[in-house]
Amino acid sequence: MKNLLTDIAGVRVGHAEDAKVASGTTAIIFDAPAVAAIDVRGGGPGTREDALLDLASTQERVDAIALSGGSAFGIEAGGGVQAWLAEHGRGLNIRGAVIPLVPGAIMFDLLNGGDKAWGRFAPYRDLGYAAAVAAGHDFALGSVGAGLGATTATFKGGLGSASAVLANGIKVAAIMVVNAVGSATVGDGPWFWAAPFEENGEFGGRGLPPKFTPDMLAMRIKGGPAASARENTTIGLVVTDATLTKAQAKRLAMIAHTGFARAIYPVHAPTDGDVLFAAATCEKPIEPLVGLTELGTVAANVVARAIARGVYSATALPFAGALPAWKDRFGA
């Protein structure tokens, strides 16, 4: 176990970014189509192929997930991932026509200091293709891929991942891009809201403060009173090797979304676009009531840990006035 999404067999992750633009894309490739669903909680989401994941839609499995910066421009990243899959003959086969299925989600990073004057076409389709090419079993965390341009209310945001194994041997893992309107940390200190769920000092081991003051519980949001819709988002994916139906994957996404609230304060705001995908590689049987509930419980913890790791691992952007990284203030 590497404490990464790729602890789930048959899942690979790749990043691509443009340092000048200060934005990037992350591709999650399934070696075989995976059952998938989506749960949206934020007030300003940006998604691709979300209708495909609706329970009323016929198709149950997808080939990849694309996560990207760039706001609505970044939706094109899924087309780049789709192009790579098509080159490799991957996709839904309809009488010889092969169509790769690549849902995706985007977050807003257009005001982070990078040069967004990219000309007629945004770079995200090419970044999506490059991320798919780079997909492997090891990948970096922090200010990489879709997390390169991410920020939070108090510190630089980023991309995080975490994993766990249930007592019955079923695995669950998450990858999260943290660009929240709220904060992943308590007040002005080093404590992460997700501290009760931390394992092996994965985001600094600072625990929680000895007591909570009114100032710690005061709302800190990016942009303050000027915060506007679609400027923020935490997006991600939770994957399990359990055998799930599409409806069960939807329930997993709903339960796992609790991890957002365990790691970000405030969360699911009108100015957030919070989106969580859930996918199942369907390798191991699971009891559909208590078993699925336990899986969701652990998945929510894993999501919270991944969010904290994304902020903990981030590095500041090299622009005047850029938000500091957590490690700039508090060390390792």
Side-chain angles (χ1 to χ4, degrees):
M1 296 286 286
K2 299 177 181 179
N3 205 19
L4 296 173
L5 188 75
T6 49
D7 285 330
I8 308 299
V11 180
R12 293 177 290 120
V13 174
H15 301 313
E17 58 266 324
D18 186 320
K20 180 181 178 183
V21 175
S23 187
T25 294
T26 296
I28 300 97
I29 307 292
F30 301 113
D31 290 343
V35 172
I38 187 174
D39 189 48
V40 180
R41 300 287 175 93
T47 57
R48 167 192 162 100
E49 292 274 39
D50 57 324
L52 175 75
L53 302 177
D54 188 277
L55 297 187
S57 297
T58 302
Q59 186 62 25
E60 290 205 344
R61 294 178 181 255
V62 303
D63 300 292
I65 300 288
L67 306 176
S68 184
S71 189
F73 297 103
I75 291 175
E76 292 186 353
V81 178
Q82 188 178 49
W84 182 88
L85 288 163
E87 287 180 350
H88 290 78
R90 290 284 312 279
L92 177 65
N93 192 318
I94 303 176
R95 299 198 309 273
V98 179
I99 308 167
L101 301 179
V102 187
I106 50 86
M107 63 84 172
F108 184 101
D109 58 1
L110 301 182
L111 300 176
N112 61 11
D115 181 4
K116 306 304 191 290
W118 45 58
R120 177 170 294 175
F121 297 111
Y124 295 99
R125 185 176 65 174
D126 290 338
L127 288 173
Y129 183 89
V133 170
H137 296 104
D138 293 306
F139 60 95
L141 305 183
S143 299
V144 293
L148 175 61
T151 56
T152 73
T154 52
F155 293 110
K156 176 73 175 67
L159 180 143
S161 190
S163 65
V165 183
L166 280 65
N168 58 11
I170 289 174
K171 295 179 182 179
V172 62
I175 187 168
M176 303 299 302
V177 179
V178 189
N179 188 57
V181 69
S183 174
T185 53
V186 180
D188 295 319
W191 314 284
F192 284 92
W193 289 107
F197 311 100
E198 184 174 13
E199 295 187 6
N200 303 315
E202 62 193 339
F203 41 90
R206 301 298 183 97
L208 289 172
K211 62 180 291 187
F212 284 84
T213 65
D215 178 67
M216 290 176 181
L217 298 177
M219 184 177 74
R220 289 170 167 81
I221 61 172
K222 195 190 308 178
S228 60
R230 301 188 69 86
E231 289 189 12
N232 318 280
T233 293
T234 298
I235 55 177
L237 165 69
V238 59
V239 183
T240 180
D241 58 2
T243 299
L244 302 181
T245 65
K246 190 176 184 180
Q248 289 172 326
K250 171 71 172 183
R251 181 57 56 183
L252 176 61
M254 293 172 67
I255 302 173
H257 230 308
T258 308
F260 284 55
R262 293 174 180 171
I264 301 168
Y265 183 92
V267 73
H268 301 154
T271 51
D272 274 317
D274 299 337
V275 174
L276 185 64
F277 298 97
T281 59
C282 300
E283 297 294 329
K284 299 173 183 175
I286 187 171
E287 194 279 322
L289 298 178
V290 175
L292 181 58
T293 301
E294 181 184 20
L295 177 61
T297 301
V298 176
N301 296 345
V302 169
V303 165
R305 291 165 49 209
I307 289 170
R309 289 191 84 196
V311 176
Y312 174 74
S313 303
T315 54
L317 292 171
F319 308 123
L323 275 174
W326 185 92
K327 290 181 179 178
D328 293 337
R329 285 279 306 277
F330 303 114

